[in-house]
Amino acid sequence: MKHIVIILFALTATSLHAQTPAVQKAAKAVFALTTYKADGTILNVTHGAYFVNADEGIAAFKPFDGAYRADIIDAAGNRADVEAIIGANDMYDICRFKLSKAGAAALQPAADATGTVWAAGYSTKQAALTPLTISSSEKFLDKYNYYIINEEINDDIAGCPILNAAGEVIGLVQQSGSSYAIHSADARFYSDLASTGLSAIDGVLKKTHIRISLPDDREQARLMLLMFDSTSDSLAVLATANDYIARFPADIDGYSAIANYEVQHGNTARASQVMEGAAKKMKDKAPAYYEYAKLIYTTVLYGDSALAGNWSLDLAEENINKAVAAVGEPVYRHLAAKIQFSKGDYAAALGLYEALTETEIAGNELYYEIAQCKSNLGASDEDVFAFVDKAVEASPQPLTGMSAPYVLARGAMLDRMGEYKRAIADYNVYDSLMNYRADAGFYYTRGKCEMNVRQYQQALNDLAHAAYLTPDATYLAELAALQLRVGQYEQALQACELSFKITTDYPDVYIVQGLALHQLQRDKEAFEAFAKARDLGDERGQEYISKYGLE
């Protein structure tokens, strides 16, 4: 006989008394639980009990770790599948789950455990009830208790519930790894287990392949759909989306989740069927047309072209126009403007964008989009800059990384307009918003701007950093040229050598190399560098050979 530890949820020392009718009735809530591997073979066999609601159960979480499927058979011989995990905690090894069918009356959590308690064994006949005595307890999380029972119990009742005289559940029998006494949580902890939108990325729940139960709250349910990512189990995503549709049939989100799934799996035809079907079913059709248009737009513009199938921006336009005609919400009109811009009709897009400046969605993104339209329509730099500047000014203050693209765009406009010092100021703000982790192209651009105001040391630092982040012959050539300009001849030669490791067909680098070698009075080597540039088609190579009399 193994030592079994009872996870209990009350504090008292009891004397043993005869079991009550309530205990006998409650014992019928016990069931056998089996979890399965992906190939259908058995992973674990244990026990649990119906809890709070007749279609919910509780058990240890460990049997679910790595499980792809699970089912139960209750004391009446009724079978049900575990449909979804409501909540779990691996530290205390507890789990609450949804069942496909309701069974016997569910156990309610005990408020206390005064008097005699019983371990209710599983049986399809008459349950075996073993009286127990609680030894001690201690508080955790300020509201729950750890409880201890120091008694030996047959190991065939692992996972079975512990009941008080009122037939309420106190805890579950768990096997001890090393001793009689193991601390655990009380029944109220099970009651408080519940899924939220963030459960989709919960590390504990990701240990099992059984899907997570959809939250009851609509906003939390929507969040769960959004939180599913590319690593999420595909079948779980579909089952959750279908559950969402069943609970919230007037919402488009469930249909959108299924359509997104189909797109990710290369089936735009099926995605179209889902979204068109949603539009037919829903009384308010505008959200369906909008979500369909948005899905087409993002797939065509940003997705793999092989996944787009027969979708086009024209199809996206057709659907967003239906949404706008039905309601005319600013967010719908905004998507219509984006689609026109992507189709290259900048004048139409500009008109739509400008009309939206009088609505509640006016903000940094909208002003930047107007600037892009004006730029494509050939507006003056000053006109374009005015709206880029508005985009920055309309950004939430203090600025965050979300506004970084607008700051960079303003800096680039100032750079283009010759306002180098103001441009550098914006570039510096952008760099700080990016936590000084911008890409190589940015540091190259800022370095070139700094050269225009003779901030040579800053420019050297930026060009070197650009070349460090992305070894590129152009970056190294610019760095070498600036090092040559400020008299750092040896460093310029080093930069040239690094560039040659990338390509030997860049004549500018040979020109810089030749000039640096000439300054160091290494004219034989300088001639060879200039000659190489000449042979690559750069006339300056011969000019320098002649100028310095190197022939």
Side-chain angles (χ1 to χ4, degrees):
M1 180 183 297
K2 296 181 180 178
H3 297 311
I4 303 298
V5 178
I6 315 309
I7 298 182
L8 294 177
F9 313 93
L11 172 60
T12 186
T14 68
S15 59
L16 301 181
H17 299 286
Q19 57 195 242
T20 66
V23 173
Q24 295 173 3
K25 180 180 179 181
K28 296 178 182 179
V30 186
F31 51 64
L33 169 68
T34 306
T35 61
Y36 301 89
K37 301 177 185 177
D39 61 5
T41 58
I42 292 175
L43 178 65
N44 280 294
V45 177
T46 185
H47 300 101
Y50 293 108
F51 183 71
V52 177
N53 299 304
D55 61 349
E56 293 182 11
I58 57 172
F61 177 68
K62 187 175 180 180
F64 289 94
D65 193 340
Y68 282 78
R69 187 173 65 82
D71 59 28
I72 65 104
I73 298 177
D74 65 20
N78 298 312
R79 181 191 171 282
D81 292 318
V82 175
E83 279 193 340
I85 305 297
I86 296 172
N89 186 296
D90 60 349
M91 178 179 293
Y92 301 106
D93 195 19
I94 62 175
C95 182
R96 184 176 178 182
F97 44 88
K98 185 81 172 177
L99 295 165
S100 61
K101 297 178 183 178
L107 299 177
Q108 301 303 313
D112 59 60
T114 57
T116 303
V117 296
W118 290 267
Y122 170 73
S123 175
T124 56
K125 297 179 181 179
Q126 183 171 348
L129 293 162
T130 305
L132 302 169
T133 302
I134 301 170
S135 301
S136 62
S137 74
E138 58 186 55
K139 286 284 185 183
F140 75 100
L141 298 179
D142 296 327
K143 66 183 290 189
Y144 306 118
N145 296 312
Y146 281 117
Y147 295 98
I148 303 168
I149 288 181
N150 291 321
E151 296 187 36
E152 290 187 1
I153 300 179
N154 293 332
D155 56 6
D156 61 357
I157 61 170
C160 291
I162 307 299
L163 308 172
N164 66 10
E168 298 167 328
V169 61
I170 297 165
L172 298 180
V173 177
Q174 288 188 314
Q175 290 180 312
S176 170
S178 59
S179 66
Y180 286 110
I182 290 182
H183 300 271
S184 190
D186 73 34
R188 292 170 297 170
F189 198 5
Y190 284 98
S191 298
D192 291 343
L193 291 176
S195 61
T196 68
L198 296 178
S199 294
I201 56 173
D202 186 293
V204 174
L205 296 177
K206 281 197 169 187
K207 291 181 179 180
T208 179
H209 300 280
I210 298 173
R211 76 175 178 90
I212 305 162
S213 178
L214 191 72
D216 293 329
D217 179 77
R218 176 180 173 274
E219 290 306 313
Q220 288 297 313
R222 290 184 71 246
L223 178 60
M224 177 174 283
L225 289 177
L226 293 172
M227 294 306 295
F228 278 121
D229 56 29
S230 59
T231 65
S232 301
D233 184 278
S234 297
L235 294 178
V237 172
L238 284 176
T240 302
N242 283 317
D243 192 2
Y244 187 96
I245 291 170
R247 292 202 207 179
F248 310 105
D251 285 2
I252 190 60
D253 303 275
Y255 299 99
S256 294
I258 295 175
N260 270 290
Y261 168 87
E262 297 294 351
V263 169
Q264 290 169 13
H265 290 77
N267 195 346
T268 52
R270 172 60 184 152
S272 290
Q273 290 176 357
V274 171
M275 296 307 293
E276 289 168 3
K280 291 178 180 177
K281 293 177 185 177
M282 299 177 69
K283 183 177 180 180
D284 183 4
K285 301 181 183 303
Y289 291 131
Y290 168 70
E291 291 295 337
Y292 187 22
K294 185 168 66 172
L295 182 58
I296 297 168
Y297 170 76
T298 54
T299 302
V300 171
L301 213 59
Y302 306 111
D304 186 337
S305 58
L307 298 180
N310 295 324
W311 282 2
S312 65
L313 291 175
D314 287 338
L315 182 60
E317 180 183 9
E318 177 185 331
N319 279 278
I320 196 59
N321 286 344
K322 291 178 182 178
V324 171
V327 179
E329 290 284 345
V331 68
Y332 298 169
R333 292 155 53 196
H334 192 198
L335 179 57
K338 289 183 175 183
I339 293 171
Q340 292 299 330
F341 182 90
S342 298
K343 291 180 66 176
D345 192 343
Y346 305 119
L350 179 61
L352 292 169
Y353 283 135
E354 288 179 331
L356 289 168
T357 59
E358 303 299 322
T359 69
E360 67 271 18
I361 70 168
N364 51 16
E365 181 185 6
L366 190 61
Y367 292 126
Y368 182 63
E369 288 165 332
I370 291 174
Q372 288 181 305
C373 281
K374 286 181 171 290
S375 177
N376 281 288
L377 289 168
S380 66
D381 286 345
E382 291 74 16
D383 193 10
V384 175
F385 174 79
F387 285 93
V388 175
D389 189 43
K390 276 188 176 183
V392 176
E393 296 302 318
S395 297
Q397 303 293 327
L399 294 172
T400 67
M402 296 294 290
S403 300
Y406 310 123
V407 176
L408 178 61
R410 188 173 70 177
M413 283 297 303
L414 289 166
D415 195 348
R416 175 177 170 177
M417 295 164 66
E419 297 280 351
Y420 301 122
K421 288 185 177 180
R422 291 175 65 192
I424 291 169
D426 269 351
Y427 287 152
N428 291 342
V429 171
Y430 173 80
D431 197 16
S432 68
L433 293 175
M434 297 297 290
N435 294 317
Y436 307 100
R437 294 179 180 177
D439 61 21
F442 165 75
Y443 292 108
Y444 173 74
T445 299
R446 186 171 68 176
K448 294 281 286 182
C449 187
E450 289 162 338
M451 289 169 61
N452 288 318
V453 291
R454 300 186 179 184
Q455 293 181 5
Y456 295 133
Q457 187 55 58
Q458 294 93 321
L460 285 168
N461 293 341
D462 276 339
L463 292 174
H465 192 48
Y468 169 76
L469 291 174
T470 304
D472 180 275
T474 300
Y475 298 162
L476 288 163
E478 290 286 357
L479 175 61
L482 182 55
Q483 288 168 329
L484 174 69
R485 182 174 180 179
V486 299
Q488 296 180 359
Y489 305 126
E490 292 290 354
Q491 293 91 326
L493 291 177
Q494 291 173 4
C496 289
E497 289 301 325
L498 290 172
S499 178
F500 292 145
K501 291 181 179 179
I502 300 171
T503 178
T504 56
D505 297 328
Y506 199 165
D508 283 355
V509 181
Y510 290 105
I511 295 294
V512 173
Q513 183 188 41
L515 291 170
L517 288 166
H518 175 68
Q519 291 295 327
L520 292 170
Q521 300 182 353
R522 294 161 58 181
D523 284 347
K524 181 179 179 180
E525 294 171 85
F527 169 77
E528 293 174 353
F530 289 138
K532 183 65 176 176
R534 178 193 60 196
D535 294 344
L536 288 171
D538 193 324
E539 296 178 355
R540 293 176 300 167
Q542 182 58 49
E543 290 172 1
Y544 281 124
I545 290 173
S546 301
K547 179 179 179 180
Y548 296 130
L550 301 178
E551 291 181 297

